Amino acid sequence: MREALRLVVPEPEAPDGGALDIDALTADLKSAPADHIVRWARDTFGRGLVMSSSFGAESAVMLHLVSRLAPGIPVVFLDTGYLFPETYTFAEELAQRFELDLRVYTPRMTAARQEALHGRLWEGSDEDIQRYNQMNKVEPMDRALVELGAKAWIAGLRASQTDFRKGLRVLEPQDGVVKVHPILGWTKEDVRRYMTTHDLPYHPLYHYGYRSIGDWHSTTPTPLEQDERDGRQQG
């Protein structure tokens, strides 16, 4: 059997070229407040810091938190070509409200061309779905990180959302970049309290039962007694 090729990934570095001790830093930051983690990332990585946002149900939390403590940070928004119309308008609304440096990245192949050449990949096999995600999400995000010269990437993942995310740490090295998860330990109540305190809006579809929002073709409403991620067919 042919041996699989192994990608050699560099160790994460600080902007000054020094190696980061991720394990030690994770231990120090594990119980730190979210604002402390954002400030640490800002002071450590400077212009090498970016964040991503899906402009989903509760995305206003992270956008408010980071824009307040690290104003001017590039915000990567992946436009798969299959987002809800409400997502596009919500993104524009928050970009203006928080004065975001919004960087929109799209797949190299348009949605129309993808469907013409490959059909509706999201309706196909596991391999088709993997190809869909690679073309529409993974490649554009990788391209954004390279073009923006990212050393670290802030994301609003929470451990309570999925089994996979339960295993994440506040800092995670990924392909030479450090992923920073300031609200990893937050509960649903923590999110609700923050949004109420700062008068932040939910995604327009949230009030129609869409509590986890992605592409229109793989997102459905979920009742309150059901896990919010059950509304995402491709996870």
Side-chain angles (χ1 to χ4, degrees):
M1 185 174 70
R2 185 176 178 182
E3 184 178 353
L5 294 176
R6 296 185 62 190
L7 177 65
V8 178
V9 176
E11 290 296 318
E13 294 182 349
D16 61 5
L20 294 173
D21 187 338
I22 295 296
D23 290 338
L25 288 168
T26 298
D28 290 340
L29 296 171
K30 182 178 181 180
S31 301
D35 57 351
H36 178 88
I37 296 171
V38 173
R39 289 192 186 95
W40 172 86
R42 176 199 64 195
D43 296 342
T44 301
F45 298 104
R47 292 184 178 274
L49 183 65
V50 304
M51 76 170 291
S52 64
S53 179
S54 65
F55 290 91
E58 300 158 341
S59 289
V61 169
M62 280 298 299
L63 291 166
H64 177 270
L65 177 67
V66 175
S67 64
R68 181 168 54 87
L69 300 174
I73 183 176
V75 179
V76 178
F77 175 33
L78 298 184
D79 178 4
T80 64
Y82 290 101
L83 301 178
F84 288 96
E86 291 86 351
T87 300
Y88 294 110
T89 56
F90 188 51
E92 290 301 313
E93 177 185 319
L94 293 186
Q96 292 183 29
R97 176 171 176 173
F98 300 138
E99 300 182 343
L100 303 179
D101 180 9
L102 192 63
R103 309 295 184 95
V104 181
Y105 277 80
T106 60
R108 294 191 183 278
M109 186 183 295
T110 64
R113 189 174 178 216
Q114 283 183 46
E115 289 190 44
L117 297 179
H118 308 294
R120 296 188 164 195
L121 290 171
W122 66 86
E123 294 179 344
S125 64
D126 288 345
E127 184 177 336
D128 289 332
I129 293 171
Q130 184 176 5
R131 185 179 188 184
Y132 175 86
N133 287 331
Q134 177 66 34
M135 293 171 64
N136 294 285
K137 300 176 184 179
V138 177
E139 189 282 327
M141 189 69 214
D142 287 347
R143 182 165 19 106
L145 295 174
V146 171
E147 291 182 0
L148 296 173
K151 296 290 185 180
W153 161 18
I154 293 180
L157 306 184
R158 291 188 288 113
S160 61
Q161 291 173 320
T162 67
D163 287 339
F164 170 75
R165 294 178 183 182
K166 287 177 184 176
L168 293 176
R169 300 180 297 173
V170 172
L171 302 179
E172 289 284 359
Q174 179 175 311
D175 298 342
V177 175
V178 179
K179 284 198 73 175
V180 183
H181 305 128
I183 62 171
L184 187 66
W186 280 27
T187 65
K188 193 75 175 175
E189 178 58 24
D190 292 328
V191 171
R192 188 203 64 77
R193 187 182 304 113
Y194 189 94
M195 295 193 73
T196 300
T197 299
H198 298 283
D199 191 26
L200 300 176
Y202 287 89
H203 188 289
L205 293 179
Y206 180 85
H207 302 291
Y208 294 93
Y210 290 85
R211 295 183 294 133
S212 180
I213 302 167
D215 293 332
W216 62 259
H217 54 65
S218 55
T219 302
T220 57
T222 54
L224 290 176
E225 65 272 13
Q226 191 175 345
D227 189 284
E228 63 187 46
R229 297 293 294 187
D230 288 344
R232 302 287 291 276
Q233 278 69 57
Q234 269 85 57

